[in-house]
Structure formats: structure tokens, C-alpha cells
């Protein structure tokens, strides 16, 4: 195949220049905003008048210690008897080219004998925790058994005040540690420090330590907008410095409602919030008042706005405090009129780890999805839909942007986030006035990937076990709808009912497996996690996989049941006919763990249906004719352009997916449809060479192909990428997971016949050498296209601050070993 022909078959790239879309019906230069769509006041600060809200002149300044040079004030600490974690000997400390290396060995054994520890501290006389609650550490290690503790010294004794597990992938990660402070009566600090605690000899490289004042991130302006997290909830918030008065001139066409979350930032501050309405010629009308003193949680405030039909009035948000300069937060302050929206609501429901092959909707022999089978009568079901990656952080970033993830340079380390140069699905809908909400139980689908950007409200819940996430997320969604009843809205769910560690709950526990076998599976699984099992033991794999399959299927039945209850309530709320519902998954199973479904070969390409074939169904009552199944291959990066097309919104400025709307509306038949190749991107950055390594694969009608990228030396170790047993996948895109060196495959590209061998038992390279040439050129060209897009987007190197609770949740979900 010629290169020109190959270029014509690559995944299309759409690059558009678009005009700005204004949320309100008022002209962009008008100070008055008309309440048509839900009016999110934080997005209209430019039309408001701000009185007061002065940034304190005597505010504490951030402090940073960088260890690319010696920091003599940071010294090893030892004080036997002062604390169970205090080591008997000081740790070894060396300065490398760009970091301080803190090492522990057997001489670092703690007094209780349970671990090895090394402590570094520096003096900070007079610091008050209430003013300095947050410490940010940039560090790297290759040991997943390590933890980093935050140390506070109030005298000769040290206290452990916070902990974060370290991600041992050899990459630089950004960790956020916080002192547990709820009031301002704690004595001043004399020292702060870090303690490395490890189960075996090892080291951590510390690149920098920075201390943030409590309100530092709000000192950039008198009033502005930023995403603020409290407990498990993040909101797009308008912040002010008390005392402050923010006035929004609004034009009402009917009765309306106001809703917001309010909150404080610094422990010990008490703030008073008041919402009022000013109408010319009338007395000031107070709508709501509340006092807040807990900086850890949002407090809801809402009020009806009545008697304002066809009126221009000013909505006033006032904030006062016991301490001048205290920061007050108005989380997603929204004014909504009480009428049907001119646009449909959109719900994007992702079942994390749900493989189509395990759903009775797609012919699986266990009745795992009886509700979805019935719902299919109202939906268009895609028989051959695929994820574009095999791992939640990479897959989610891909379908939320309609870009293959190596095109956005997303996954170098766990803390990488979506670059600012990419527009997410939430931002597309939010910019035209949709209320936006995200409800997930996998942080990788939200805050751990930077996907909270532009979202009004994000809930990252950590249920007692992942297998009951759907019911918790549904409850959070209905709470949101009760607090913010305006329409239209866009909501993203990502549940973990079928995600590892596979612990389904009653009444579905026991549906497909006996209690005895369930107990044995949990014992096997814990043994495998602790490396007590030989994962090459075929007999063990058979017993383990069959039990796992039953538990997975029980989780699927649990998910199906709660999805049915969710849809029933949507219908009872009366807006079902004006709701677009998309049900999908981020990848199949297995996907990046020791767990493997029965019959899944360990050396199969990512395009194996068990791994990337996922459910995909679209519903829009009265608009999309249901009861149809479409066989043409599609992928998850098609969802964003399809939803934008269905709602009449502009397409992404840069995108690689295609709208499926013509198929959904029956405007073209499958025979007339110009199908595009489906790409699966499983590439990663090698930590040693900096090269792109791994696999990029394609499904192109009857044919599938897998191209292996590796460093120039085929015998070189590929650190930072997990190499599978067998000779098909040369690497997996999971940087830092434990691995052993493997001989790379003899064939750089493998081709498969998806019709005659749908389970990809063997490649057909010898029979079809013409296809080898064709797909080598196609996939190599796609790699070049993704590289060009990375240059356009140019947002590499951005990271999130990983919180301890996020890391613990990711560890339970199996992302960190």
C-alpha cells in the first residue's frame, strides 16, 4: 500500500476555527445577562460589580525548597524513644543531580521493628498550622511499598500528621499532604519534616518541598473562579475576600431559583453569606442567609426568586467574616428559570471495566443484563464498539476529548492530566449553558486526570466496596438535581460495580457462585496480590479465573439492576422524552492486572474482544428510533462528536472521532456508511530512552493489526512499560508496574482475520504479506499524525496533586501495586 493511500485511511483529524458561543441571550458587551439557559454566575464575573474583596496586604507567602542544590537546613533526625517510627540511626542523605536522595536500610529499623524509616526536618519557628495546612512534595521512587509521612514538631517531640502512599513507577509524582487542622488553637510549629517509611531497604528522590498558605491559591485576584475540592465534592467556585459584595444585573423572563454551595477556606474563620435581590423602586429583598465555619465541607444554600417575570433586577451575593480578608466561596452559584429547557439533557453513563462479551445484551449465556436487553428495544445498540485504550486514565481522557491519548501526551505518569489546550466534553456543554455534573467512583475518571476542569460539580465517591458504587453515585446525582433543578444538564457517570477487586454484594452475591468458592477466591486473590502464588501455574489460573468470572458476572447483574432503577426514576421525573442517554464502558477485561478471564490468552493483542469490545447504546425517545442494532465497527472517540451533533453544538476544534448521528437517525444505511478504522492506542513513554514504546493497533473491517514500537535496540530493557509474557504484545502502557525483561516479538507487526478468527488465535502474516505492508504503513502514519497533534496541543508536562485519599482509592481499585 502506498503512503498516500495509507494517509487516506488514517483516523481523520478535524481542525476547526470556531466562534465563541455565549451562554446568555444578551449581547456579549451587555452588562445585563438574560436568564434563559441555567445561568452559572461564576462564568459571568465580567458582567458583575465587585465592591470590597481586597486581597490582604500582610498575607503569608508560599515557601519552596528545591533540592537541585544543597539545602543545609534540611537535616536527618533521630531521637530514639521519641516515637515508634523514629529510627535508631539517622538516615543516609545524598544530593544527586536534581534531587535529595533519602535512603533507608536495616540500620533504619524503627523501635517497634515493623518497618524501616528515615526522617528529615527543617526549622519553621512560629508557623501556625492554620496558616500553613498544605505541603506539596515532588518525588520519585521505584518501590511501591513506601509511604511518605508529614512531620510536625511542636517542641522536642515529633508528631506524624499526614501520610501518602508513594507510587513506585520511577516517575516524578506530585503529592499533596495536609495537616489535620479544624481550628486555630493548635500551638505554633517549630519544625516540619518528612518521614520515609518502607518495608525493605530503598530510597526516595525528593525534588522539592513547598508549603502553601491556607489562602495562597486565592490571592491572585480580588475575585475570581477556580475549582475547589471539599471532602469528596469539587465545585467550580467564585471566590471573594470578605467583606465583599458582588452584584449581577439580570433580566428575568419568568420565575426562577437560585442555588449554590458556600464554604470557607481557613480553619477558625466564620463567614456569613447573604443572597439578595435589588429591583429599582423596591426595598432590598433578602432571599437567603447562612453562616459557615467548617472549611472541610460545602453547605447548600437555595432560594426561590419570584415575582420577577419580565423584570430586570440585580442579584447580590454578600460575604462578611470575623477576620477581614478571609476567603469566601460561592460554589457553582446558578440561577435557573422554571421552564422546560430548549435543549435535551445528556447523560453519559460509563460502566468501568464492562466488557460486551460478558453481557447478555450481547449474547452472553448468563443473564447478567436483563434490563439492558429490554432497554435495547428503545435504543440503537452498536454490536462492535471498541475502547481506544485499555486503561481507565488513558481511555477516559481519549473519549472525553475525541483524541487518541498519545496525541494528547496524556500518560507519562499517574499524575499527568489533560492539557489545557484540549477541550473536554464537559467544557463543550458547559460553555453553552448546560449545568455539568460528574459522578464517579474511580478518581482516574475525574480529579486524578484533571477532568474536573469546567465542571460545575464533581463527586468522587469512595463507597465501602467498589461493587456498590452505582447506588451511591445515583443518590449523589439526585441530590444534585434536587439542589440544582434547572435544565438542561450534562452528567457523566463512571461506576465500578464490575471493577476489581470483584466483591459483589447482596442480593446478587451468590447468584453465580457458592459462598465457599467465593471465600476461596478471595484467599487466592489476596495471595496473588502478595506474590505468594506462581502466576504461571495453569491449574491455579483455571480455578481462579472461573471463580473470578462468576463474581464479575454478579457485579454486572448488580449494575444492571441499579441502572434499571435509575432509568425508572428518570421516567417518573417526567423528562425521559427529552433525555439523551448513552451507556458505554471505558474498556473490557482484563485490563492491566494479574486477573484474567477464562479463555483470554495472555499474549493477545489489545484488539482482542475481551479487552476492548465494549457496550455502546444511544437512547433519545421520540428522536432516535429504537430496537435497532448496528454492526459497523465504531469507537469511544466517536461519542463526543456524536453528542455534539445530536444537540446541535459545534464540533471540537481538534478531534479524531466521527459523528454517528447519521446512523442513529437512519439518514444512511450501514452499506452506505463510510466506516473509519478503529484505533487502539497502547503506547507509553520509556523512562530510559524517552521514546514512545508499546502497541498501536487497528480494526479495519475484516482485518486487525498490531504494530509494536520499541527502542532501536530490540534487546534493550523497556523500563516503565510492562512487557507481557508471550510474543504478541511487546509492551503495555502501564509505566512503572513490576516487570521482568522479555524478548521482544520477532514480528514487528501482526495481522489477524477478524471474521475467521475473531478470538485472534494466530496471525496471518505468512498468508497475507500484502496486509503486513498495508497496515505497517497505516499504523506508522497514525503515530506520525498523533505526534503532529501533540505539537498543536502542546500541553505536555502538566500534572495534578495526588491526595492521600486518591492514592488509597486507586490502590484498592488495582491501579497501584
Amino acid at each position: 500500500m502506498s503512503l498516500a493511500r495509507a494517509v487516506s485511511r488514517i483516523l481523520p483529524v478535524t481542525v476547526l476555527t470556531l466562534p465563541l458561543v455565549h451562554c446568555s441571550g444578551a449581547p456579549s458587551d451587555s452588562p445585563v445577562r438574560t436568564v434563559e439557559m441555567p445561568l452559572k454566575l461564576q462564568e459571568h464575573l465580567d458582567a458583575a460589580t465587585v465592591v470590597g474583596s481586597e486581597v490582604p496586604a500582610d498575607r503569608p507567602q508560599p515557601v519552596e525548597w528545591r533540592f537541585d542544590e544543597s539545602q543545609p537546613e534540611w537535616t536527618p533526625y533521630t531521637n530514639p524513644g521519641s516515637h515508634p517510627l523514629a529510627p535508631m540511626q539517622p538516615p543516609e542523605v545524598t544530593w544527586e543531580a536534581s534531587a535529595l536522595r533519602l535512603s533507608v536500610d536495616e540500620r533504619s529499623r524503627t523501635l517497634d521493628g515493623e518497618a524501616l524509616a528515615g526522617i528529615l526536618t527543617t526549622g519553621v519557628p512560629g508557623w501556625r498550622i492554620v496558616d500553613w495546612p498544605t505541603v506539596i512534595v515532588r518525588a520519585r521512587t521505584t518501590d511501591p511499598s513506601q509511604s511518605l509521612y508529614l512531620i510536625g514538631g511542636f517542641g522536642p517531640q515529633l508528631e506524624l500528621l499526614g501520610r501518602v502512599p508513594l507510587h513506585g513507577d520511577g516517575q516524578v509524582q506530585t503529592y499533596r499532604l495536609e495537616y489535620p487542622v479544624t481550628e486555630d488553637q493548635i500551638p505554633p510549629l517549630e519544625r516540619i519534616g518528612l518521614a520515609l517509611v518502607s518495608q525493605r531497604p530503598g530510597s526516595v528522590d525528593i525534588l522539592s518541598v513547598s508549603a502553601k498558605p491556607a489562602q495562597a491559591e486565592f490571592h491572585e485576584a480580588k475575585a475570581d473562579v477556580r475549582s475547589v475540592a471539599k471532602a469528596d465534592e469539587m465545585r467550580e467556585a467564585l471566590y471573594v475576600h470578605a467583606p465583599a459584595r458582588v452584584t449581577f444585573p439580570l433580566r428575568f423572563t419568568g420565575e426562577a431559583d437560585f442555588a449554590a454551595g458556600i464554604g470557607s477556606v481557613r480553619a477558625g474563620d466564620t463567614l456569613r453569606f447573604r443572597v439578595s435581590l435589588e429591583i429599582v423602586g423596591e426595598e432590598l429583598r433578602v432571599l437567603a442567609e447562612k453562616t459557615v465555619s467548617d472549611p472541610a465541607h460545602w453547605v447548600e444554600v437555595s432560594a426561590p426568586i419570584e415575582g420577577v417575570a419580565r423584570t430586570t433586577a440585580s442579584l447580590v451575593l454578600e460575604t462578611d467574616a470575623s477576620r477581614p480578608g478571609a476567603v469566601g466561596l460561592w460554589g457553582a452559584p446558578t440561577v435557573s428559570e422554571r421552564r422546560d429547557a430548549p435543549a435535551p439533557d445528556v447523560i453519559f453513563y460509563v460502566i468501568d471495566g464492562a466488557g460486551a462479551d460478558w453481557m447478555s445484551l450481547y449474547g452472553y449465556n448468563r443473564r447478567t443484563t436483563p434490563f439492558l436487553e429490554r432497554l435495547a428495544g428503545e435504543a440503537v445498540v452498536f454490536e462492535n464498539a471498541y475502547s481506544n485504550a485499555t486503561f481507565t486514565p488513558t481511555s477516559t481522557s481519549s473519549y472525553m476529548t475525541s483524541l487518541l491519548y498519545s496525541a494528547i501526551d496524556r500518560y507519562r505518569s499517574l499524575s499527568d492530566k489533560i492539557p489545557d489546550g484540549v477541550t473536554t466534553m464537559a467544557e463543550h456543554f458547559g460553555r453553552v449553558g448546560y449545568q455539568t455534573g460528574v459522578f464517579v467512583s474511580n478518581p482516574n475518571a475525574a480529579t486524578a486526570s484533571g477532568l474536573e476542569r469546567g465542571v460545575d460539580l464533581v463527586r468522587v465517591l469512595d463507597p465501602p466496596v467498589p461493587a456498590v458504587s452505582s447506588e451511591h453515585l445515583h443518590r449523589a446525582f439526585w441530590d444534585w438535581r434536587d439542589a440544582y433543578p434547572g435544565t438542561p444538564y450534562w452528567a457523566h457517570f463512571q461506576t465500578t460495580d464490575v471493577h476489581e477487586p470483584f466483591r459483589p454484594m447482596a442480593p446478587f452475591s451468590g447468584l453465580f457462585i457458592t459462598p465457599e468458592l467465593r471465600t476461596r477466591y478471595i484467599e487466592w486473590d489476596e495471595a496473588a496480590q502478595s506474590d505468594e502464588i506462581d502466576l504461571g501455574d495453569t491449574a491455579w489460573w483455571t480455578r481462579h479465573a472461573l471463580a473470578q468470572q462468576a463474581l464479575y458476572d454478579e457485579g454486572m447483574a448488580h449494575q444492571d439492576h441499579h441502572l434499571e432503577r435509575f432509568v425508572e426514576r428518570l421516567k417518573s421525573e417526567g423528562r425521559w422524552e427529552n433525555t439523551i442517554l448513552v451507556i458505554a464502558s471505558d474498556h473490557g477485561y482484563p485490563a492491566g492486572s494479574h486477573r484474567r478471564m477464562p479463555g483470554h490468552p495472555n499474549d493477545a493483542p489489545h484488539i482482542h474482544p475481551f479487552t476492548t469490545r465494549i457496550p455502546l447504546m444511544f437512547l433519545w425517545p421520540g428522536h432516535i428510533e429504537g430496537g435497532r442494532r448496528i454492526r459497523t465497527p465504531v469507537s469511544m472517540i466517536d461519542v463526543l462528536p456524536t453528542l455534539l451533533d445530536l444537540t446541535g453544538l459545534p464540533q471540537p476544534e481538534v478531534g479524531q472521532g466521527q459523528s454517528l448521528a447519521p446512523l442513529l437517525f437512519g439518514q444512511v444505511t450501514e452499506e452506505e456508511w463510510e466506516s473509519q478504522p478503529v484505533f487502539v492506542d497502547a503506547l507509553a513513554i520509556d523512562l530510559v530512552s524517552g521514546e514512545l514504546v508499546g502497541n498501536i493497533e487497528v480494526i479495519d473491517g475484516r482485518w486487525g493489526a498490531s504494530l509494536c514500537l520499541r527502542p532501536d535496540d530490540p534487546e534493550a530493557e523497556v523500563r516503565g512499560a510492562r512487557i507481557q509474557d508471550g510474543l504478541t504484545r511487546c509492551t503495555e502502557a502501564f509505566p512503572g508496574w513490576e516487570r521482568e525483561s522479555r524478548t521482544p516479538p520477532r514480528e514487528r507487526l501482526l495481522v489477524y482475520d477478524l471474521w475467521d478468527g475473531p478470538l485472534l488465535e494466530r496471525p496471518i502474516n505468512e498468508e497475507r504479506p500484502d496486509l503486513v505492508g498495508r497496515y505497517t504503513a497505516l499504523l506508522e502514519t497514525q503515530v506520525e499524525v498523533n505526534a503532529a497533534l501533540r505539537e498543536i496541543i502542546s500541553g505536555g508536562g502538566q500534572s495534578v496533586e495526588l491526595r492521600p485519599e486518591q492514592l488509597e482509592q486507586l490502590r484498592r481499585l488495582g491501579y497501584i501495586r
Side-chain angles (χ1 to χ4, degrees):
M1 182 185 232
S2 68
L3 182 58
R5 177 78 181 280
V7 170
S8 71
R9 299 298 311 285
I10 64 174
L11 193 113
V13 178
T14 304
V15 181
L16 301 175
T17 301
L18 302 172
L20 289 176
V21 179
H22 297 285
C23 301
S24 73
S28 60
D29 59 350
S30 171
V32 179
R33 295 295 188 256
T34 300
V35 182
E36 294 177 339
M37 303 280 273
L39 197 69
K40 295 178 278 189
L41 298 178
Q42 76 272 15
E43 297 179 357
H44 298 276
L45 187 57
D46 59 334
T49 301
V50 180
V51 177
S53 195
E54 299 297 333
V55 180
D58 58 348
R59 61 190 181 275
Q61 297 299 315
V63 176
E64 182 179 29
W65 295 271
R66 299 178 59 90
F67 294 102
D68 51 0
E69 59 184 29
S70 175
Q71 296 285 354
E73 65 268 35
W74 281 84
T75 57
Y77 175 89
T78 180
N79 185 6
S82 66
H83 195 279
L85 278 181
M88 298 299 295
Q89 298 293 329
E92 180 182 354
V93 177
T94 57
W95 271 268
E96 304 298 321
S98 61
L100 178 150
R101 176 164 294 173
L102 176 61
S103 303
V104 293
D105 56 25
E106 285 302 324
R107 294 172 298 175
S108 309
R109 183 69 60 181
T110 58
L111 291 178
D112 60 10
E114 296 294 324
L116 308 177
I119 299 176
L120 287 172
T121 67
T122 188
V124 287
W127 277 29
R128 302 175 70 232
I129 288 181
V130 71
D131 290 321
W132 302 88
T134 304
V135 173
I136 307 299
V137 180
R138 296 180 67 245
R140 62 172 174 253
T141 181
T142 57
D143 187 348
S145 76
Q146 295 177 347
S147 294
L148 202 62
Y149 284 80
L150 186 60
I151 300 293
F154 301 95
Q157 299 285 329
L158 297 184
E159 298 291 338
L160 302 182
L161 299 177
R163 170 188 174 273
V164 61
L166 299 183
H167 186 39
D169 67 347
Q171 293 278 55
V172 176
Q173 306 287 356
T174 305
Y175 301 100
R176 181 185 183 98
L177 297 101
E178 296 182 342
Y179 289 107
V181 54
T182 57
E183 39 99 336
D184 60 0
Q185 303 304 313
I186 298 176
L189 284 168
E190 295 183 11
R191 304 186 70 80
I192 66 168
L194 298 173
L196 171 66
V197 178
S198 178
Q199 297 303 309
R200 49 182 174 257
S203 63
V204 62
D205 290 344
I206 301 172
L207 283 74
S208 66
V209 178
S210 57
K212 286 187 176 182
Q215 301 183 167
E217 53 198 332
F218 305 102
H219 286 158
E220 297 175 359
K222 291 178 57 174
D224 208 343
V225 179
R226 64 177 298 114
S227 295
V228 179
K230 292 184 179 296
D232 59 11
E233 184 175 321
M234 178 173 282
R235 301 198 189 202
E236 193 80 352
L238 163 64
Y239 71 80
V240 295
H241 302 269
R245 177 186 171 100
V246 185
T247 304
F248 294 89
L250 304 177
R251 182 177 295 114
F252 296 90
T253 60
E255 307 296 277
D257 293 285
F258 172 82
I262 53 176
S264 61
V265 172
R266 180 183 177 274
D269 287 342
T270 298
L271 289 98
R272 294 174 294 279
F273 296 83
R274 183 167 70 171
V275 185
S276 304
L277 192 71
E278 286 184 338
I279 301 177
V280 175
E282 295 186 15
E283 187 176 342
L284 180 71
R285 188 189 309 176
V286 176
L287 303 178
E289 286 184 289
K290 277 193 178 180
T291 299
V292 173
S293 59
D294 176 11
H297 298 89
W298 291 103
V299 175
E300 300 292 344
V301 59
S302 61
I305 306 175
E306 298 173 333
V308 291
R310 297 179 296 280
T311 300
T312 297
S314 292
L315 191 73
V316 183
L317 307 182
E318 293 178 278
T319 311
D320 200 359
S322 57
R323 182 180 62 87
V327 172
L329 303 173
W330 295 87
T334 304
V335 179
S336 304
E337 290 208 341
R338 300 174 193 169
R339 60 188 177 90
D340 288 338
D345 301 328
V346 177
I347 299 175
F348 183 28
Y349 199 107
V350 178
I351 306 170
D352 202 307
D357 288 79
W358 318 118
M359 305 174 82
S360 52
L361 171 69
Y362 288 95
Y364 184 45
N365 61 346
R366 281 179 175 156
R367 292 296 302 282
T368 53
T369 54
F371 167 67
L372 290 182
E373 292 175 57
R374 298 192 299 274
L375 191 64
E378 304 177 55
V380 172
V381 177
F382 286 88
E383 295 277 6
N384 297 293
Y386 294 86
S387 61
N388 298 98
T390 62
F391 194 38
T392 298
T394 54
S395 178
T396 306
S397 64
S398 184
Y399 58 69
M400 282 299 183
T401 61
S402 192
L403 292 165
L404 296 179
Y405 85 84
S406 67
I408 58 176
D409 204 16
R410 163 66 179 91
Y411 197 69
R412 292 172 180 264
S413 74
L414 188 71
S415 60
D416 280 359
K417 73 173 184 177
I418 302 293
D420 292 339
V422 178
T423 303
T424 68
M425 188 183 296
E427 290 176 309
H428 278 288
F429 282 95
R431 65 168 52 161
V432 296
Y434 272 74
Q435 295 185 92
T436 54
V438 170
F439 307 91
V440 303
S441 48
N442 185 341
N444 281 323
T447 52
S449 298
L451 284 165
E452 75 280 2
R453 193 176 69 212
V455 181
D456 300 331
L457 181 143
V458 179
R459 294 293 302 274
V460 183
L461 299 183
D462 188 9
V465 292
V468 298
S469 73
S470 59
E471 50 194 292
H472 290 263
L473 297 179
H474 296 169
R475 192 177 304 122
F477 168 83
W478 292 116
D479 288 345
W480 177 57
R481 296 304 305 137
D482 289 342
Y484 292 82
T487 58
Y489 63 81
W490 170 90
H492 167 221
F493 286 91
Q494 195 135 330
T495 65
T496 52
D497 291 32
V498 299
H499 198 288
E500 58 181 276
F502 308 130
R503 303 291 191 269
M505 306 298 287
F508 298 93
S509 176
L511 187 62
F512 301 123
I513 190 173
T514 65
E516 295 77 17
L517 189 53
R518 173 190 170 100
T519 300
R520 289 178 64 190
Y521 168 81
I522 294 174
E523 293 173 351
W524 294 336
D525 200 51
E526 292 174 349
Q529 294 282 5
S530 60
D531 298 326
E532 297 175 9
I533 294 291
D534 177 9
L535 298 186
D537 183 343
T538 304
W540 179 87
W541 266 118
T542 301
R543 296 190 302 270
H544 181 273
L546 289 172
Q548 173 187 295
Q549 180 70 69
L551 293 170
Y552 179 91
D553 293 345
E554 290 176 356
M556 190 77 79
H558 180 275
Q559 168 69 77
D560 184 74
H561 169 72
H562 283 281
L563 191 49
E564 179 177 19
R565 295 179 63 185
F566 179 73
V567 169
E568 287 174 348
R569 182 163 176 183
L570 279 175
K571 292 181 176 181
S572 70
E573 294 285 327
R575 282 192 56 83
W576 174 247
E577 287 71 22
N578 202 33
T579 297
I580 298 173
L581 172 62
V582 180
I583 298 173
S585 178
D586 59 339
H587 54 69
Y589 252 98
S593 75
H594 70 272
R595 300 171 173 89
R596 188 190 312 163
M597 293 303 188
H600 189 295
N602 196 40
D603 58 354
H606 299 288
I607 55 174
H608 191 289
F610 288 3
T611 305
T612 52
R613 182 172 174 245
I614 50 101
L616 181 62
M617 56 195 303
F618 286 79
L619 299 96
W620 189 8
H623 297 268
I624 296 175
E625 181 185 353
R628 292 182 291 138
R629 288 182 177 256
I630 295 176
R631 293 170 298 174
T632 187
V634 298
S635 69
M636 285 292 284
I637 59 171
D638 297 330
V639 172
L640 172 56
T642 301
L643 287 175
L644 295 178
D645 207 355
L646 294 178
T647 52
L649 300 182
Q651 291 296 308
E653 297 179 13
V654 180
Q656 292 177 291
Q658 61 178 336
S659 171
L660 306 175
L663 282 171
L664 295 174
F665 288 135
Q667 296 168 342
V668 297
T669 65
E670 286 194 68
E671 291 72 23
E672 296 168 334
W673 178 253
E674 186 176 345
S675 182
Q676 299 291 343
V678 171
F679 288 89
V680 177
D681 191 340
L683 298 173
I685 299 297
D686 172 40
L687 300 187
V688 177
S689 68
E691 297 180 50
L692 207 58
V693 298
N695 295 72
I696 186 166
E697 302 179 358
V698 66
I699 295 170
D700 188 25
R702 178 174 181 172
W703 313 113
S706 174
L707 176 70
C708 172
L709 300 183
R710 57 176 180 263
D712 293 336
D713 178 5
E715 301 298 327
E717 284 193 7
V718 186
R719 296 184 181 88
R722 180 174 176 238
I723 296 181
Q724 295 288 327
D725 293 321
L727 300 180
T728 301
R729 284 191 274 191
C730 63
T731 59
E732 280 224 34
F734 302 116
W737 285 33
E738 292 184 359
R739 52 165 295 279
E740 296 178 4
S741 180
R742 295 282 185 264
T743 302
R746 289 170 293 179
E747 298 288 346
R748 186 161 178 264
L749 180 121
L750 298 173
V751 181
Y752 297 88
D753 187 333
L754 304 181
W755 292 1
D756 291 345
L759 296 183
L760 314 181
E761 296 92 343
R762 69 176 189 88
I764 59 168
N765 289 38
E766 293 184 4
E767 298 96 313
R768 296 299 302 269
D770 59 316
L771 296 180
V772 174
R774 176 195 302 180
Y775 289 112
T776 297
L778 174 65
L779 291 168
E780 286 180 340
T781 303
Q782 188 62 51
V783 171
E784 294 172 3
V785 169
N786 290 354
L789 284 174
R790 287 197 300 274
E791 292 298 318
I792 294 173
I793 295 164
S794 63
Q798 298 174 318
S799 64
V800 297
E801 296 171 358
L802 295 172
R803 297 171 178 268
E805 60 271 20
Q806 284 181 326
L807 287 159
E808 290 290 1
Q809 190 171 358
L810 292 171
R811 191 182 296 279
R812 286 195 298 276
L813 290 171
Y815 293 97
I816 303 174
R817 301 298 182 200

